Structures are given as C-alpha cells and as structure tokens.
Amino acid sequence: MTAAQPRVLLVEDEPAQREILAYNLEAEGFDVTRAATGDEALMMVDEVGPDLILLDWMLPGVSGIEICRRLKSRNAMREVPIIMISARTEEVDRVRGLETGADDYVVKPYSVVELMARVRSQLRRTRPATVGQRLEFEDIVLDAETHKVTRSERAIRLGPTEFRLLSTFMEKPGRVWSREQLLDRVWGRDIYVDTRTVDVHIGRLRKSLCQYGGEDPVRTVRGAGYALG
Ligand code: CA
C-alpha cells in the first residue's frame, strides 16, 4: 500500500536527470509522479495532491520560477513545499530576489544525499509522520519511526489503517478531515473504498485509544467529518 508514502511531484525536462532523481526518491520510499514541463505540472498537480514539489528552473515553455509563482498562488498549494533546482548560484539569488515563494533551493550539480536531506527537512515541517517523526497529542504519543503508539504511557496496538488514520490526525490536531480527504490520505486515490469504511476504521481507532479509559480524542464534526481534539 502506497497511501502513507509522501507524494512528490518531480518537474524536470531532462529525462536522465529526471530518472536519477525519481530513482533516488523512490528508493527513499516516496511516491513519485514525473512531469516534463511546467504546463504538465500545473495540469497534474490537483490530481496528484503532492506533499512536496521538486521543480527545475530551466524548463521548456513556462519557466520554473513562473510555475512556482502560479502554484503558490493557489490556496491548496500554500502549505506544499517547493524546492527549486537551478543550474547556477546566480539563478538561486534571482529566485530569492523574485519572491517566488519557493521554500528551498538546490544548485546543480547537487549531491543526491544533500537533496534528500532537504526534502526530508521540508517534510518534517509539513508531513512529520511520513519522515519518521515522533508526534504528541495530549497523552497520546506516536512514533512514526518504530510505528509504536502509547496513551498515558501504555502501549496501544493499532492495525495499519488505524495507524495511518492516527498519524494523519496527529500531524494536524484540530483540523477537520472529510471522509473523502481521509480516504485519499489513508487509503490512497487508486483504491476504491466506500466512505462508510472510514467510519468503521474510526470506530476501531476510538476503541483502541480508549481501551484503558480516557476521553475519546476523536471528534465527529456533523456534516463535515472527523478531527483530533
Ligand atoms: Ca531543465
């Protein structure tokens, strides 16, 4: 199942560069979607719902900077980190000066190790559970590295789906998730699952979290979905 993997949209027109990057990202466990031009990226972005975008500066047609600006002007994209890849340091200076909204910059030729570190560093901020962070909410602790969950220091055993549900909630406590959003995030968009399945797994998650007592931390928001806290 690929649903828990962070989704990366990789925009690079040179096939060899694109494949090397995609290979390394996939080896790190990322779910990679490739785009060869900025226009392609703009068309694909809603469908992909990326957690991070790697964007080459020099692209045929619309430049990477312009793509970056257009992406960042979309509401849904504000929180999605964009790392720009450019050929020269002068370009990086220009990107900075242009206020494109890029979150980080890498200069070619870059070291893959360094690029991966930057990718993880961005995701630690926006998708901490996908890069093995330890998350806390009230008396609940979730260690995404070891997949262990405790409540008031007592071990809570969760099935894989309940674990992904809880990680999603714990990344953004208080955020209300619709059933469709949870299906997309937890089950993945390629899999057809009825929205009622979400309710079933929420029920299991609640039962597990409350097995030693304590308040139900999952809130049902009528007509909207679910939230943690
Ligand atoms: Ca290029």
Side-chain angles (χ1 to χ4, degrees):
M1 173 145 326
T2 58
Q5 295 177 311
R7 296 173 193 158
V8 175
L9 178 59
L10 168 62
V11 195
E12 166 66 81
D13 59 309
E14 291 144 60
Q17 292 262 6
R18 191 168 61 234
E19 284 318 303
I20 289 171
L21 265 180
Y23 172 84
N24 281 283
L25 289 161
E26 281 165 357
E28 290 267 323
F30 297 113
D31 178 359
V32 182
T33 304
R34 300 152 168 86
T37 65
D39 290 315
E40 215 178 292
L42 289 172
M43 276 193 296
M44 292 164 100
V45 72
D46 288 333
E47 199 189 322
V48 174
D51 296 305
L52 182 134
I53 299 174
L54 276 172
L55 179 59
D56 186 28
W57 159 294
M58 290 294 284
L59 293 166
V62 189
S63 79
I65 322 173
E66 183 52 29
I67 297 298
C68 183
R69 195 183 289 125
R70 288 190 200 171
L71 286 170
K72 282 291 184 183
S73 70
R74 298 186 188 189
N75 261 336
M77 290 298 303
R78 286 237 167 94
E79 285 180 28
V80 178
I82 297 181
I83 301 179
M84 295 263 334
I85 303 169
S86 75
R88 295 189 299 271
T89 46
E90 305 92 82
E91 289 178 348
V92 168
D93 291 339
R94 264 187 76 199
V95 175
R96 286 201 186 109
L98 286 166
E99 292 176 358
T100 52
D103 298 85
D104 201 1
Y105 317 86
V106 175
V107 181
K108 285 182 189 175
Y110 48 81
S111 109
V112 170
V113 175
E114 190 204 334
L115 180 59
M116 291 303 151
R118 285 172 186 248
V119 166
R120 278 194 299 270
S121 148
Q122 290 297 326
L123 290 172
R124 260 197 292 281
R125 190 167 53 83
T126 54
R127 293 294 320 277
T130 66
V131 286
Q133 293 291 104
R134 186 174 182 273
L135 306 178
E136 286 183 40
F137 175 77
E138 292 175 354
D139 56 350
I140 305 169
V141 179
L142 178 148
D143 187 328
E145 186 86 60
T146 58
H147 277 226
K148 290 204 170 106
V149 177
T150 58
R151 186 166 190 196
S152 294
E153 286 162 20
R154 276 197 270 210
I156 302 283
R157 291 174 63 98
L158 295 176
T161 304
E162 287 71 35
F163 181 82
R164 284 198 298 272
L165 265 173
L166 184 62
S167 333
T168 300
F169 284 138
M170 287 185 73
E171 282 185 336
K172 289 199 185 341
R175 173 183 161 166
V176 179
W177 296 84
S178 70
R179 288 171 178 80
E180 288 75 16
Q181 286 169 331
L182 289 171
L183 278 179
D184 174 48
R185 180 59 73 84
V186 174
W187 279 263
R189 44 193 80 193
D190 305 332
I191 299 156
Y192 177 77
V193 184
D194 194 277
T195 49
R196 277 169 299 184
T197 307
V198 176
D199 302 334
V200 172
H201 287 274
I202 290 278
R204 285 184 198 159
L205 175 62
R206 282 176 157 148
K207 204 172 158 193
S208 299
L209 289 174
C210 298
Q211 61 184 294
Y212 301 115
E215 258 182 61
D216 179 3
V218 182
R219 185 161 53 96
T220 304
V221 185
R222 277 184 76 106
Y226 296 103
L228 185 71

